[in-house]
Structure formats: C-alpha cells, structure tokens
Amino acid sequence: MKKNKPKYKQIIDAAVVVIAEHGYHQAQVSKIAKQAGVADGTIYLYFKNKEDILISLFQEKMRIFIEYIEELIAGKQSASEQLFLMIEHHFRVLADNHNLAVVTQLEIRQTNKDLRLKINGILKEYLSLVDEIISRGMEKGEINSDLDVRLVRQMIFGTIDETVTTWVMNEEKYDLVALAPQVHKLLLNGCGAV
Amino acid sequence: MKKNKPKYKQIIDAAVVVIAEHGYHQAQVSKIAKQAGVADGTIYLYFKNKEDILISLFQEKMRIFIEYIEELIAGKQSASEQLFLMIEHHFRVLADNHNLAVVTQLEIRQTNKDLRLKINGILKEYLSLVDEIISRGMEKGEINSDLDVRLVRQMIFGTIDETVTTWVMNEEKYDLVALAPQVHKLLLNGCGAV
Amino acid sequence: MKKNKPKYKQIIDAAVVVIAEHGYHQAQVSKIAKQAGVADGTIYLYFKNKEDILISLFQEKMRIFIEYIEELIAGKQSASEQLFLMIEHHFRVLADNHNLAVVTQLEIRQTNKDLRLKINGILKEYLSLVDEIISRGMEKGEINSDLDVRLVRQMIFGTIDETVTTWVMNEEKYDLVALAPQVHKLLLNGCGAV
Amino acid sequence: MKKNKPKYKQIIDAAVVVIAEHGYHQAQVSKIAKQAGVADGTIYLYFKNKEDILISLFQEKMRIFIEYIEELIAGKQSASEQLFLMIEHHFRVLADNHNLAVVTQLEIRQTNKDLRLKINGILKEYLSLVDEIISRGMEKGEINSDLDVRLVRQMIFGTIDETVTTWVMNEEKYDLVALAPQVHKLLLNGCGAV
DNA sequence: AATGAATGAGCGTTCATTCAT
DNA sequence: GATGAATGAACGCTCATTCAT
C-alpha cells in the first residue's frame, strides 16, 4: 500500500505548503517535488497525476478530521453538545494550521468542475456526519423535526464554511475558535431548538 | 461610455454562455468572441483583458441584482419580509438563468487569488445590503440585538450560497425557489426572531 | 501631388517624434496618427503602408540633406574642404535634431532586411556624393589615386556613421560637431592626402 | 554548466541558420527548435527566452573570435601587424560563414534598444582589444599619439563594419578577405603611421 | 477628403507527464 | 525504486489595415 510509505505523506505535506505559499495555479509539480525533496518523476510513482495529489490531500486530511470528530462526539448524548464540539474542532484545526486553512478555503476551490465534484464526494462523509447529528437531534426532540434535514445541514455547513473563509480572507486577524459559541448558538436557534 | 454600447453587453452575455458551457479554463477568448459574433480583437476594445471580462460580468449582474432588490424591499417594513424577498429573488434569478448559476457558483471561483479579491470587493455591496437588513431588524426588535451582525450575515449569506451551490451541483434537479420559505424560516430562527 | 499637402509632412514629422520617443517597435500607426492629429485611416490616404512612412521619412530628410550639402560644396575647390563641410554638416544636422539622430542611428536599423535594402537604396545618393568628392580629389592629386574609391568611401561613411552612433549611444554627452576637425584629419590621412 | 552541453551549441547553431535564412522577425522559436532537432520546450532548458538565444549566440561567437585574435597577435610586436591580422581574421570569419555574416551585419541589428544595448556590452570587449592595439601603437611611435584613441577606434571599427555590411548587402559578390590589405593601409594612413 | 470601429492572423512560453538510465 | 532531461500542446493579446459612413 503506497499510502503508508513515508514519501506519500511527504509529498502531500509538501503540496499543502507549496499551494498555501504560492497559490494553486503557481503550485507546479516540480515545486512540490522540490519541497518534498524528491525528483519530479517520483511524484508519479505515488500519484496518478497532479489532480490526484489534491484529491488525496483532501481525502487524507478529511479522514483524520472525521475520525477525530467521531471519537469526540462518541460519548455525548445531546445533539447540541455534539454540534458544538464539531464546530469548535472544525475551527481549531484550521486555526492551528494556517497553510491547510488557505488551501481548503481558497486554493482548492480554484480547480475545475470535475475536480470540485470529486472533492465534494469526499466532503460528503463530513456532511453525512452532520446529517446524523441533526437526525439524532430530531429524534430526541432537540431539533424541530418539521425541518428539512438537508436544508438544516446546508445552513450548518454553509455558515461554518463562510465563517472560516471570511476569517482567512481577513488574514486571520481575530480568534476563530472564540467564535464557536456564538456560531453554535445561531445555528441551534436556526434549528428551532428551544 | 463603452458600457452602454450594444457590443459590451453582447460580449458579457457570450462570456456567460461560454464559461457555463466549457468551464472557465476552457473559455478561450476566441470562443467568447465567436459566441458574441465579433472578432477576437474587438473584445479588447471593450475589455482590458480576459480577467476584465469576468470582473465586468460579475459587476454588471450584481449591479442589476442589487438595484432590483433595493427596489423590492424599499417599501417593506419588517426585516423578516425584506429577508424573504431577498432570498427568494436570489434563488429566482439563478433558477431562471442556468448559465449564470453555473458561472457564479462554480466557475467564477476557479480564478486566482487576485481576481477572487476583486470579485469579493464587488460582493461586498451585497453583503452590506444584508447588514442593513439585519441592523434595521435589530433596531425594531425583530432580531436579537445581542448577536454579532457580521456572524449573522455570514450565516445568512453562507446558507444561501451553500444552498444554491448544492442545488447546482445536484444538476438543479429540484425547485430552488420553493426552498425559499424554509430557508427563510431557518435563518429567521437563527437570528433569534420570536 | 500628395507630398506637397500639409498632412504629408505633418505625418512624417509625427513619425520622427513618435519613433524617437517610443522606439520603432512601439511606434504604432495609431500613435503616429494621434501625434499628427489625424485619424488612423487618414495615414493610408498619404502612405501605402507603415513601411512607406519610414521610407518616405528617410527619403524626405535625405533629400533636404543632400540638396544642402550640394549647395555647400558647390563653390569649393579642394576635396579636403568639401569633405570637411560634409562631415561638419552631417554632424550638425543630427546634433541639432535629437529625435532625427535617434531615428536614423538606432531605430531605423531595427527594421527588416527588405526595408533596410530600400533605405540603402536611398542612402546611395549620399554615398555617390562622397564618391564624387573622392574622385575629384584623386583627379586633383589630393587623394592617393591608387586607392579603391569604394573602400575609401566605406571608410569615410563608416567612420562618420560609427562616430554619430557612438555619440547617440552615449546619450549625446559631448559636443559632436566639435569632433569634425579631428575626424576630418583622420579620414584625410587615411586617404593618403599629404 | 549548461553552456558545455551539446544541445546548447546545437540550438545556437540552429538559431544562426534560421535567422540567416528567414530573418530575425521570422525566426520563430519553434523553427529554431525544429532546426536544432529538439522540442520547443527544450529551448527553455538552455535559454531564458528568445532574446537570450540571440545574446548567447553573439556572446559565444564573440568569445571565440576574441580568444582567437588574442592568440594571433600575442607574439607580434608591431601594431600595424596586429591590426592587419585582426582585420584579416574579422573578414575571414565572416567570409567563411555566410549565415553568421548575415546575422551579425543585418539581422542582429533589427532588435529593440534593450537588446542592442546588451549586444553593445558584448561588443565592448572587441572594442577594448582595438583600443589596446592603438595604445600600444602610440607608445611605440607607430601611431600618432596626438589622436584621440576613441576616434581612431571608431574609424577602425566603423570602416571594418561598413566594409563587411556593404559586402553582405552586395550578396557577397566579391572576395572580402582580399580587401584586408587595402583596408589595413587606409586605416594605418588614417592613424598617421608613416 | 476624413474618420475610427472593427478585423483576425500570428507566436513566445509554460508545465504536466514520460521514459531511458 | 528513483531520477530529471526532454517533450509539445495550447492561448491571450497586439496592431496594421480596411471600409462603411
């Protein structure tokens, strides 16, 4: 399995650095190879093509992200608490990793439709997690079950995403994690929680 | 004034069609010119460069959009009603114009940082409009004035944008405009309206 | 005869200014038209094409130049004196007209082979004048008649031309006309004058 | 060092052929690549841009030229002899290489001011060599030391250059090398040698 | 005669990918 | 496995010239 070899992660980390530093359109394969300390051709022993680096990058980070959140909310009973932990973790991960924040909020979106569809495919796992929290919240009466789950999820993800993007665009001047309680309150209100 | 000459609008409309059909990176100037029924060089009598077409396109559409919404909400008293009219109009414009929806939700975002910053500059007028509705709603007691206006705006815009993007990504399979009441309700709840 | 109409000279003078100021490759027809105060299309009522402007420019200036020198040397007996008057006038004309100097020494030479051949055709009149001075000098015994007239002419023209070009390249920092006596002496020595 | 790799010289030689054959402005990079038997992109592994090909070409040829002349005149005592060897070698190199003669006398001069300045910078090494010969000639009493070294150099270089250009323009119909003794005599006379 | 909007051919350069070593 | 030199397709933009008014 190539994904477990050291150079695989090495190249992905190099890609995050290079894309964050130079922007997606200036992140040539040769630059990524140089940053990773390997030859250009070596990239193609681990990735099908340049697009595949980006997909794998997103997949890898998302996998870790989701696994962590799943652990985090595992023992919690209330949807409200689960939602809060998710929001806070989402904010914390990106606040702690400037490069990753730039890549996911700004650079990765500069890609073509096809690539974005693939990235959306990966994102679905996260969205499913949100759906589960919502559904469980409805079952327990925490969330108004008249609402459309999909719409609620779009509100939650849209708000979180927009909040992070605005923060990145404003050069991360303020404390993102500190916004978690307010965002949580807004979203919970929206859900019709009493 | 070049912006009032017929070819100016002709080229912008052609750009919307070509970009929606082929994607931003496959929207060569020659393709746009052909679609507009002018020579390649004519493009440059009306636009500084290819990037300028995109900026002008967004500016032009946003100008019409904002002017229309301003008229729409002019006589309305409640922030709730104003918000609803805005959401519905936002959805309706894009639902009525498939090409424009694809361009604004997917293609325009594939551009480099500089261009995105310019586009964000144009978007600010819309966001200001939202801010005004929120502020007025707070003054009247419709919206919980303890909330951060910026966060509320991010929730509103983030939710609307995410809703439209999801709809476009799902190949516009369902009725977007019909979602307006539910989205409106969600957002109003979020704002702490009683 | 178009050459006698005011706009003909107007355009040629504009071309000298524009080419000197912006360089040959940045001297677009539209710039020349603007400088001349006429419409782009008007240029083509007086000149076949852009190349024709340059040829006519050179022809016009050279005609005046030669006519003047012919008058100047008309009454003079010695080839030495004729040569001196020619050198001095050559230097003076270009020293007095910065733009013309830049155009003839630097910019006009940036043209393609065909155009340079045409320009050389015009230059031949000047070279013939030099040949005549040399031949008469040989007849009178002022110049060593064993020498090849063509080679002597190449020395004379080559030296004058190189001297002016070096002066232009050095930003005309020193007095070109003041060099005439020394250049004259050098060339006369070269001709074997005693 | 890229300059020692075979493809470096291969591309320069191809450039000489293509520029001589089609003229500078019709010497597209793709034509040069084809002539050199490499891909278009390969050019850019060895040269910064098209302009750089021309500069390197001139630099390379000038380097060989100067090195050869320096060896040639190393053991010679008289400035007269040194001057003759230089003139003859100058003529011989260009007479032996039609393409190079066309490129240096006609095509290379069609370039813009910036490029011409760079080329002049390279030419300075040659002009310095001439200056040295003149200075040494003055020390030894072979050349009239009242003369301005710069003017003498301009006469020497101007005459040689004009002679070669005239020969190229006349389609190289006569024997250029055979002119060396006469040109040498003319110049030596000019220098005031007895 | 004069205008100036419109035309459209033409090219230097980048960079993802390959493959011989 | 690892290398990195070589490949070659693809495109935004300029500007001399035309021609309807």
Side-chain angles (χ1 to χ4, degrees):
Chain A
M1 189 54 176
K2 288 191 168 171
K3 303 204 174 187
N4 294 321
K5 298 205 177 172
K7 288 197 178 165
Y8 179 84
K9 288 186 198 307
Q10 210 170 311
I11 291 167
I12 281 187
D13 289 338
V16 174
V17 171
V18 171
I19 294 173
E21 202 163 317
H22 297 94
Y24 178 69
H25 291 296
Q26 280 306 303
Q28 293 86 353
V29 172
S30 61
K31 251 184 213 156
I32 296 173
K34 199 173 182 183
Q35 171 75 25
V38 299
D40 294 17
T42 306
I43 299 271
Y44 292 86
L45 297 175
Y46 294 89
F47 300 91
K48 218 167 56 244
N49 49 38
K50 187 183 176 182
E51 197 172 274
D52 189 32
I53 305 177
L54 214 62
I55 293 174
S56 303
L57 181 166
F58 196 65
Q59 216 158 25
E60 191 71 10
K61 300 300 179 187
M62 189 54 85
R63 192 180 51 73
I64 297 170
F65 184 66
I66 289 179
E67 280 174 8
Y68 193 91
I69 292 187
E70 279 175 344
E71 276 182 46
L72 209 58
I73 66 176
K76 311 304 168 191
Q77 290 304 321
S78 78
S80 167
E81 196 177 359
Q82 292 181 332
L83 187 60
F84 178 77
L85 290 169
M86 192 188 78
I87 294 169
E88 197 188 43
H89 182 61
H90 189 137
F91 284 177
R92 193 184 308 280
V93 166
L94 297 175
D96 283 354
N97 192 339
H98 166 69
N99 285 340
L100 190 60
V102 171
V103 171
T104 61
Q105 302 308 120
L106 304 183
E107 302 301 340
I108 220 173
R109 316 201 173 191
Q110 297 180 26
T111 55
N112 64 49
K113 219 183 193 170
D114 283 353
L115 186 44
R116 292 207 51 203
L117 284 172
K118 286 179 189 165
I119 289 188
N120 264 280
I122 298 168
L123 197 61
K124 272 200 178 127
E125 290 187 57
Y126 184 27
L127 300 180
S128 299
L129 200 62
V130 179
D131 282 356
E132 282 171 36
I133 294 178
I134 297 168
S135 298
R136 259 181 269 125
M138 285 178 169
E139 285 166 19
K140 286 186 198 137
E142 285 182 78
I143 292 175
N144 183 346
S145 52
D146 289 347
L147 298 171
D148 182 314
V149 175
R150 196 184 55 202
L151 278 186
V152 174
R153 176 237 298 160
Q154 283 168 15
M155 175 182 68
I156 293 174
F157 181 76
T159 301
I160 293 175
D161 190 56
E162 179 70 14
T163 301
V164 179
T165 299
T166 303
W167 172 77
V168 174
M169 289 242 181
N170 280 296
E171 290 162 340
E172 314 180 0
K173 282 196 294 252
Y174 45 89
D175 185 347
L176 181 62
V177 181
L179 297 180
Q182 295 175 71
V183 171
H184 176 244
K185 187 186 167 194
L186 270 176
L187 294 177
L188 220 56
N189 279 348
C191 298
V194 213
Chain B
M1 188 54 175
K2 286 193 167 168
K3 304 204 174 189
N4 295 321
K5 296 198 178 173
K7 290 202 175 158
Y8 180 83
K9 289 185 198 304
Q10 207 170 316
I11 291 166
I12 281 189
D13 289 340
V16 174
V17 171
V18 172
I19 294 173
E21 200 163 321
H22 297 93
Y24 179 68
H25 291 295
Q26 280 305 304
Q28 294 86 349
V29 173
S30 61
K31 255 184 210 155
I32 296 174
K34 198 172 183 183
Q35 172 74 25
V38 301
D40 292 18
T42 305
I43 299 270
Y44 293 87
L45 296 177
Y46 295 89
F47 301 91
K48 228 176 35 255
N49 49 38
K50 188 184 172 181
E51 196 172 272
D52 190 33
I53 304 177
L54 208 63
I55 293 173
S56 304
L57 180 167
F58 194 63
Q59 216 159 24
E60 192 71 10
K61 299 300 178 187
M62 189 54 85
R63 191 181 52 73
I64 297 170
F65 183 66
I66 288 179
E67 281 175 7
Y68 192 90
I69 292 186
E70 280 175 343
E71 276 184 44
L72 210 56
I73 66 176
K76 311 304 167 190
Q77 290 303 322
S78 78
S80 165
E81 194 177 359
Q82 292 182 331
L83 188 60
F84 178 76
L85 289 168
M86 192 188 78
I87 295 170
E88 197 189 44
H89 182 61
H90 189 137
F91 285 177
R92 193 184 308 282
V93 165
L94 296 174
D96 282 356
N97 192 340
H98 165 67
N99 287 337
L100 188 60
V102 171
V103 170
T104 60
Q105 302 308 119
L106 304 183
E107 301 302 340
I108 220 172
R109 315 199 174 192
Q110 298 179 27
T111 54
N112 64 48
K113 225 176 190 168
D114 280 354
L115 188 43
R116 297 259 335 252
L117 284 174
K118 286 179 189 166
I119 292 199
N120 265 283
I122 298 170
L123 197 60
K124 271 199 180 126
E125 292 189 55
Y126 184 27
L127 299 180
S128 299
L129 200 62
V130 178
D131 282 356
E132 284 172 35
I133 294 178
I134 297 169
S135 298
R136 260 180 268 125
M138 285 178 171
E139 287 167 18
K140 284 186 198 136
E142 285 183 78
I143 292 176
N144 184 344
S145 51
D146 289 345
L147 299 171
D148 183 312
V149 174
R150 196 183 55 201
L151 277 186
V152 174
R153 177 234 297 159
Q154 283 167 16
M155 175 181 70
I156 293 174
F157 182 76
T159 302
I160 293 176
D161 192 54
E162 179 70 14
T163 302
V164 179
T165 299
T166 303
W167 172 77
V168 173
M169 289 246 180
N170 280 297
E171 290 163 338
E172 314 179 0
K173 282 197 296 253
Y174 46 89
D175 185 348
L176 180 63
V177 182
L179 298 179
Q182 296 175 70
V183 171
H184 176 243
K185 188 185 168 194
L186 272 176
L187 295 176
L188 218 56
N189 279 349
C191 299
V194 214
Chain C
M1 189 54 175
K2 288 194 167 171
K3 302 203 176 190
N4 294 321
K5 299 206 176 171
K7 288 198 177 163
Y8 180 83
K9 288 185 199 307
Q10 209 170 312
I11 291 166
I12 281 187
D13 289 339
V16 174
V17 171
V18 171
I19 294 173
E21 201 162 318
H22 297 93
Y24 178 69
H25 290 296
Q26 280 305 305
Q28 292 86 351
V29 171
S30 61
K31 252 185 212 154
I32 296 173
K34 197 173 182 183
Q35 171 75 25
V38 301
D40 293 17
T42 306
I43 299 271
Y44 292 86
L45 298 174
Y46 293 89
F47 300 91
K48 218 166 56 245
N49 49 37
K50 188 184 175 182
E51 197 172 274
D52 189 33
I53 304 177
L54 213 62
I55 293 173
S56 304
L57 181 167
F58 195 66
Q59 216 159 25
E60 192 69 11
K61 300 299 179 187
M62 189 54 84
R63 192 180 51 72
I64 298 169
F65 184 67
I66 290 179
E67 279 174 8
Y68 193 91
I69 292 188
E70 278 174 345
E71 275 184 43
L72 208 60
I73 65 176
K76 312 302 170 190
Q77 289 304 320
S78 77
S80 166
E81 195 177 359
Q82 292 181 333
L83 187 61
F84 178 77
L85 290 169
M86 191 187 79
I87 294 170
E88 198 189 43
H89 182 61
H90 189 137
F91 285 177
R92 192 183 307 283
V93 166
L94 296 175
D96 283 355
N97 191 340
H98 166 68
N99 285 341
L100 189 60
V102 171
V103 171
T104 60
Q105 302 308 119
L106 302 184
E107 301 301 340
I108 220 173
R109 314 198 175 193
Q110 296 180 26
T111 55
N112 65 49
K113 218 182 192 170
D114 282 353
L115 186 46
R116 292 207 48 203
L117 284 173
K118 286 180 189 165
I119 288 188
N120 264 280
I122 298 169
L123 197 61
K124 273 201 178 125
E125 290 188 57
Y126 184 27
L127 301 180
S128 299
L129 200 64
V130 179
D131 282 357
E132 283 171 34
I133 295 178
I134 298 169
S135 298
R136 260 182 268 123
M138 285 178 170
E139 284 167 19
K140 286 186 195 134
E142 284 182 80
I143 291 174
N144 183 344
S145 51
D146 289 347
L147 298 171
D148 182 313
V149 174
R150 198 185 51 202
L151 278 185
V152 174
R153 177 237 296 161
Q154 283 168 16
M155 176 181 69
I156 292 173
F157 181 75
T159 301
I160 293 175
D161 190 54
E162 179 69 14
T163 301
V164 179
T165 298
T166 302
W167 171 77
V168 174
M169 288 242 181
N170 279 297
E171 289 162 340
E172 315 181 359
K173 282 197 292 255
Y174 46 87
D175 185 348
L176 180 64
V177 182
L179 297 180
Q182 295 174 72
V183 171
H184 176 244
K185 187 185 167 194
L186 270 177
L187 294 176
L188 220 57
N189 279 348
C191 299
V194 214
Chain D
M1 189 53 175
K2 288 195 167 167
K3 304 205 172 187
N4 295 321
K5 297 200 178 171
K7 290 202 175 157
Y8 180 82
K9 289 185 198 306
Q10 208 171 311
I11 291 167
I12 281 188
D13 289 339
V16 174
V17 171
V18 171
I19 294 173
E21 201 163 319
H22 298 93
Y24 179 68
H25 290 296
Q26 279 305 304
Q28 293 87 347
V29 172
S30 61
K31 254 184 210 155
I32 296 173
K34 198 171 183 182
Q35 171 74 24
V38 301
D40 292 17
T42 305
I43 300 272
Y44 293 87
L45 296 176
Y46 294 90
F47 300 91
K48 227 174 37 250
N49 49 38
K50 188 183 174 182
E51 196 173 273
D52 190 34
I53 304 177
L54 209 63
I55 293 173
S56 304
L57 181 167
F58 194 65
Q59 216 159 24
E60 191 72 10
K61 299 300 179 188
M62 188 54 85
R63 192 180 52 74
I64 298 171
F65 183 67
I66 289 179
E67 280 174 8
Y68 193 90
I69 292 187
E70 280 175 343
E71 276 184 44
L72 209 59
I73 65 175
K76 312 303 170 190
Q77 290 302 322
S78 77
S80 166
E81 196 177 357
Q82 291 182 334
L83 187 60
F84 177 76
L85 289 169
M86 192 188 77
I87 295 169
E88 197 189 43
H89 183 61
H90 190 138
F91 285 178
R92 193 184 307 282
V93 165
L94 296 175
D96 282 356
N97 191 338
H98 164 67
N99 286 337
L100 188 60
V102 171
V103 170
T104 61
Q105 302 307 119
L106 303 183
E107 301 300 341
I108 220 172
R109 315 199 176 194
Q110 298 179 26
T111 55
N112 64 48
K113 226 178 192 169
D114 280 354
L115 187 44
R116 299 256 339 247
L117 284 174
K118 287 180 188 165
I119 291 197
N120 265 283
I122 299 170
L123 197 61
K124 270 198 180 128
E125 291 189 55
Y126 184 26
L127 300 179
S128 298
L129 199 64
V130 178
D131 282 357
E132 284 172 35
I133 295 179
I134 297 169
S135 299
R136 261 181 267 123
M138 285 179 169
E139 286 166 21
K140 287 187 194 133
E142 285 182 79
I143 292 176
N144 184 345
S145 50
D146 290 346
L147 298 172
D148 182 313
V149 174
R150 197 183 53 201
L151 277 185
V152 174
R153 177 235 299 159
Q154 283 168 17
M155 175 181 69
I156 293 174
F157 182 75
T159 302
I160 293 175
D161 191 54
E162 179 70 15
T163 302
V164 179
T165 299
T166 303
W167 171 76
V168 174
M169 289 247 181
N170 280 296
E171 290 163 340
E172 314 180 359
K173 282 196 294 252
Y174 46 89
D175 184 349
L176 179 64
V177 181
L179 298 179
Q182 295 174 71
V183 171
H184 176 243
K185 189 185 167 193
L186 272 176
L187 295 176
L188 218 57
N189 279 349
C191 298
V194 216

